[in-house]
Amino acid sequence: MCELPCRARCTPLRIRIRFVQMPLGPWARQLYLKSRGTFIRRRADVVELEREATGGTWGLLPWFAKTPEIKFDTVNARSETVATSASYKAPWARGQRCIVPMDAFFEPNWETGKHIRWKFSRRDGAPIAVAGLWERWRGKGDQENISHTLLTVNADDHPMMSRMHRLDKEKRMLALLDPAEYDEWLERPPAGAFELLQEYPPELLLDEPWPKPPAERSLALEEMADVLMPDN
């Protein structure tokens, strides 16, 4: 989504209040590419819709990858091509949709000619819920990886997001979900799920410049070692 993908992690307590029960524990402040984060999916072992929280790498590892290390970016998936892209079409067809909770996300603003980081959050203070996909990768032996990606939509005409990124780049924004859409996103068949991938109303978002403090990334990654994650 941006030159340095980053999002402010949604705390376990806020996830429990808004989404689903999960363990409480130490929590890293921010997530970056290939960090391990929480997402919410539909439980596969029950008939009725029931949510569960699990953990996975941010950056979807497709089934055809030979190793867990891939050279292309799968942090975000374009909604327009998610059903046909080699990396995403299999989990999309299987209905492996998920909700990725976060307190905020960050985008680069280049209007001054310099990269200024901007923070986006919900104006009402509620957690953000992003439409996502998840995948389970199995390699040789007992190698296994659970990962997820965030879906994006075009935002060329969005009052806020059209100001982000470099001037010569297409404007994109995360596909955000309202609470009334959570279960629909997890339960709908693939064809019907496309209807939920829309620009988010700007009046519901708060945006503000948010420069990154020195060494913030290294601190966040160090904290990740102590994060308590739910089981896969």
Side-chain angles (χ1 to χ4, degrees), residues 108-160:
N109 184 307
W110 285 89
E111 291 177 312
T112 64
K114 296 182 179 180
H115 178 178
I116 299 176
R117 191 174 72 151
W118 282 63
K119 176 183 177 182
F120 292 84
S121 57
R122 280 185 57 124
R123 190 170 292 276
D124 61 4
I128 287 173
V130 183
L133 279 180
W134 68 274
E135 180 65 296
R136 183 189 301 272
W137 176 87
R138 290 186 173 90
K140 295 181 179 179
D142 58 354
Q143 280 188 307
E144 184 174 277
N145 178 282
I146 303 293
S147 60
H148 65 282
T149 187
L150 310 178
L151 287 166
T152 68
V153 298
N154 180 273
D156 285 338
D157 299 321
H158 194 274
M160 290 181 177

Side-chain angles (χ1 to χ4, degrees), residues 203-225:
E203 62 270 17
L204 300 182
L205 292 174
L206 176 66
D207 67 320
E208 51 191 327
W210 201 268
K212 185 174 65 173
E216 178 186 272
R217 180 174 184 180
S218 61
L219 175 61
L221 290 177
E222 289 173 6
E223 290 176 347
M224 284 298 300

Side-chain angles (χ1 to χ4, degrees), residues 23 37 43 46 49 52 55 62 97 101 112 120 123 130 152 159-160 163 181 185 187-188 192 199 217 231:
R43 281 188 58 181
V46 296
L49 174 63
E52 68 173 357
R97 296 187 298 276
T112 64
F120 292 84
R123 190 170 292 276
V130 183
T152 68
M160 290 181 177
R163 299 174 54 208
E181 299 173 325
W185 175 247
E187 192 171 34
R188 283 190 182 190
E199 282 189 2
R217 180 174 184 180
D231 295 335

Side-chain angles (χ1 to χ4, degrees), residues 7-44:
R7 69 192 201 230
R9 193 166 198 160
C10 192
T11 64
L13 180 58
R14 281 164 66 82
I15 291 176
R16 292 181 71 169
I17 292 172
R18 289 281 179 167
F19 300 98
V20 67
Q21 291 292 314
M22 67 172 292
L24 297 178
W27 214 239
R29 290 178 296 121
Q30 294 193 8
L31 291 179
Y32 296 87
L33 173 64
K34 296 186 178 180
S35 293
R36 182 172 164 82
T38 296
F39 63 87
I40 292 117
R41 64 185 178 186
R42 177 176 183 160
R43 281 188 58 181

